[in-house]
Structures are given as structure tokens and as C-alpha cells.
Amino acid sequence: MRFRTPITAILLATSLLAFAFKQETLQEMIARADAARLEDRPALYVEIAERQLKSADQLYTAGKLDDAQTALADVVTYSEKAHDTSIQSGKRLKNTEIDFRKMAAKLRDIKRNLNFDDQAPVQAAADRLENLRTDLLSHMFGKGK
Amino acid sequence: MISTSGKLARLMLGLSLLSTVWAQRRRDPLNPVEADQLRDAAQEPAERLKLYIEFARTRLASLEQMRADPKVTNRPQQTHDRLQNFLDVYDELNDNIDTFVGRKADLRKPLKTVIDADTEFQAKLRALKSSLDASKDETKEYDFLLTSVVETVDSSLQDHRQLLSEQEEAAKHKKKEKP
């Protein structure tokens, strides 16, 4: 019984630390990607985009539309960075194209579970990823060079 | 970084709302009836995965039908579009499996159906690929896509088998733990 308060405090502190660490990890990941060698950046940016896509999905499910749209915007931003660095470095073009394809599939699935009024930004993000994907394919086959 | 750039990005997304009409016109591999069927089965892994298998099967059948029709014009483009359609649906099937795994759903039964379908798709796609090897000129337009589709189905089949065996193992342990 005597230990209840300290244990609660420790648990609370641990939870807060875990939360802070989680937040920091995303920021760290972004910093790491920005500072990485050009050829390593596509994979790191895709990882960030995928992580934010997962967040967007969870936030939409929880009904937090504003936060979900912020996460969705990150998906597009970091996918664009992955696209640009992939083309600049000429590395990981095929893998990035496959990753975009899968993320676009996920976005379409998220969209269909939303009210009609909330679908447009998700569809726009899916379309943007499809466009990036098409552009990567063009580069892979020499048309975009 | 995200919070500051987030504002700009949200503005960008806000603008995209204005282009609703444009967005609605863009391609969705499923028709409205299929999308409604999926929505009705949102909480039922077995039912939802079964629907995706059916949709993917329909896409492959449509590809086979088109290729068997001698009256078809622009065959390479049509083959490309139908393959892409199949792959889009198949990607969504995989994405749904991941989602249900994340929710710790028991997928043992539906996975068996998925694996059977994978095997069927794999055989059909391989048959298509080998029938096309003879006509290299025609395949230029969709050769890369066809290879991607075959590779995706091959690797997914392995993943699905692995997942089934993990779920069966986990179920065995659960049984043992029960008094």
C-alpha cells in the first residue's frame, strides 16, 4: 500500500517519457533523413511517409480529422522528397515506386471508409502518389531523363 | 518541423478540397457497388478478404476474356490497364491483411482462402507470361508491369503462408495456456 504513490508516479513518468521519446523519434528520423547521404535518403523519407500514413489512418479512425490531414500532408511531403532524392541519386527507383503503389492502395482504402465530404484530400494524396509513381517509372525507362 | 510545415501543407490540402470534382474523376480500381460491399464488411475480416479475392479474380478474368477476343484493338494498352487494375486490387487485399494483423484478428480461415487464390492467380499469371514470351514486340508496353505483378503475387504467397503458420503456432500456444 505504501508503494502505491511512488509506483503511480514512476508509471506516469515512464508513460510521459515514452510519449516524448515517440515524438522525438519522428523528429530524429526527419533530421537523420535530411542529414543522410543522398542515396540513403529515399528509403528514409519513405519510412517517414509510411509512418505518417499509419498515423493518418489511426487519426481518421479516431475522428481527429484535422490531425489526420496534417499527417496526410506529411505523407505527400515526404513522398515527394523520396521521389526527388531517388531521381537525383538514381538509387532505389524501383523500390520507391513499389512503396508509392502500396501507400496509394492504403490511401484508397482509408478514403472509402470516410464520409463523402472528407474523402477529397485523401483521394488527392493518393493521386499525387500515383503521379510521383508514374514519374519514377518514366525515369526508370529513360523518358524522364 | 512538422508542425510549421504542417500549416502550409494543410493549406495545400485545403486547396485540394476545392478540386473535389477533379479528384472524384480520378481512377479508383473499384466501382461504387464494390466499394459499398466493402464498407458493409468493414469489421468482418473473412468477408472483406473474400470480397477482395473475388474482385481480383474478376479483373484477371476480364484480362483473359479481352485477350481471347480477336476483335479487340489496342491489345497492349488494354492488357496494361487490366493488369494494373488487378494489381491495385491485390495491393489493397494485402493492405487489408496487414490492417487485420495489426488488430490481432484471427485470420487462419480467411488466409487459407487467400492462399488458394494466390496459387490460382500465380498459375494464371505465369501462363500469361509464358504465352507472351513468343510475342516480344507486343509486350513492350506492359512487360515491366507484368513482371511486377508476378513478383508481387509470388512474394505475397510466401508472406501469406508464413503468416498462416505463425497464426497457427500462436493458436496452439493459446490452447496450451488454457487450463
Side-chain angles (χ1 to χ4, degrees):
Chain A
M1 221 41 175
R2 247 190 295 166
F3 295 108
R4 187 174 283 173
T5 310
I7 287 171
T8 310
I10 290 167
L11 282 175
L12 186 67
T14 313
S15 307
L16 285 171
L17 269 174
F19 181 73
F21 182 71
K22 199 178 169 190
Q23 292 299 305
E24 196 186 0
T25 306
L26 178 63
Q27 297 304 322
E28 276 178 0
M29 203 188 250
I30 294 166
R32 187 157 56 93
D34 288 339
R37 288 187 311 176
L38 183 63
E39 61 265 38
D40 296 332
R41 280 186 226 163
L44 291 168
Y45 286 137
V46 163
E47 210 179 319
I48 295 167
E50 286 174 341
R51 182 179 174 139
Q52 290 305 90
L53 178 57
K54 201 174 170 188
S55 285
D57 187 20
Q58 287 165 349
L59 289 163
Y60 273 122
T61 306
K64 296 177 180 171
L65 294 183
D66 285 348
D67 292 340
Q69 286 193 22
T70 305
L72 191 63
D74 285 340
V75 174
V76 174
T77 302
Y78 289 98
S79 295
E80 284 171 345
K81 288 188 177 212
H83 163 272
D84 295 349
T85 51
S86 197
I87 287 175
Q88 283 164 26
S89 64
K91 301 280 180 194
R92 222 180 169 274
L93 288 161
K94 188 179 175 186
N95 288 334
T96 307
E97 185 266 328
I98 292 170
D99 293 333
F100 287 172
R101 206 187 78 211
K102 289 180 178 172
M103 283 196 279
K106 176 81 187 167
L107 284 166
R108 287 193 301 269
D109 195 33
I110 292 174
K111 182 201 79 175
R112 290 197 206 98
N113 290 314
L114 296 175
N115 292 328
F116 183 79
D117 292 345
D118 302 322
Q119 290 183 359
V122 186
Q123 181 66 56
D127 290 339
R128 179 68 186 135
L129 259 65
E130 285 290 354
N131 289 340
L132 293 173
R133 190 184 148 229
T134 307
D135 195 52
L136 281 179
L137 284 170
S138 301
H139 274 81
M140 283 161 71
F141 294 105
K143 290 175 195 166
K145 282 178 185 170
Chain B
M1 184 144 190
I2 282 195
S3 53
T4 47
S5 68
K7 283 181 185 170
L8 271 174
R10 282 173 68 183
L11 178 70
M12 192 182 82
L13 278 169
L15 287 172
S16 76
L17 270 169
L18 297 172
S19 62
T20 307
V21 177
W22 175 80
Q24 301 300 327
R25 265 191 276 137
R26 293 302 295 255
R27 195 173 64 90
D28 187 319
L30 301 182
N31 63 44
V33 177
E34 291 171 330
D36 281 347
Q37 284 178 292
L38 283 175
R39 207 170 293 122
D40 292 343
Q43 304 302 325
E44 301 290 334
E47 193 54 37
R48 202 169 160 90
L49 297 182
K50 215 159 86 181
L51 283 169
Y52 269 114
I53 291 169
E54 208 41 59
F55 301 156
R57 186 176 281 130
T58 309
R59 267 74 187 169
L60 263 194
S62 143
L63 171 65
E64 287 172 333
Q65 265 174 19
M66 182 277 295
R67 292 200 60 83
D69 184 351
K71 290 179 197 157
V72 168
T73 54
N74 201 4
R75 192 177 298 261
Q77 183 61 46
Q78 293 229 33
T79 304
H80 178 280
D81 293 349
R82 281 166 167 77
L83 275 172
Q84 185 63 60
N85 225 329
F86 168 80
L87 186 58
D88 286 343
V89 173
Y90 191 77
D91 277 341
E92 288 193 29
L93 165 72
N94 277 333
D95 174 60
N96 272 259
I97 291 173
D98 289 345
T99 303
F100 289 127
V101 169
R103 289 181 197 164
K104 309 225 179 298
D106 181 358
L107 297 177
R108 282 173 293 163
K109 210 173 165 185
L111 271 175
K112 284 174 187 161
T113 317
V114 171
I115 289 167
D116 285 345
D118 286 337
T119 315
E120 171 197 327
F121 298 154
Q122 191 181 51
K124 286 183 175 173
L125 289 164
R126 282 182 180 173
L128 175 67
K129 199 166 177 15
S130 48
S131 76
L132 296 173
D133 282 344
S135 49
K136 280 282 175 199
D137 275 354
E138 194 211 296
T139 62
K140 269 181 202 161
E141 222 166 300
Y142 54 84
D143 191 37
F144 176 82
L145 179 60
L146 180 57
T147 307
S148 289
V149 177
V150 171
E151 283 174 2
T152 301
V153 173
D154 285 352
S155 65
S156 299
L157 175 57
Q158 280 182 6
D159 293 345
H160 298 154
R161 280 181 177 148
Q162 172 72 23
L163 180 60
L164 177 60
S165 112
E166 282 168 12
Q167 290 221 340
E168 281 174 341
E169 196 62 31
K172 266 187 217 164
H173 285 296
K174 232 181 205 175
K175 257 186 195 172
K176 276 183 194 167
E177 278 166 19
K178 277 185 186 170

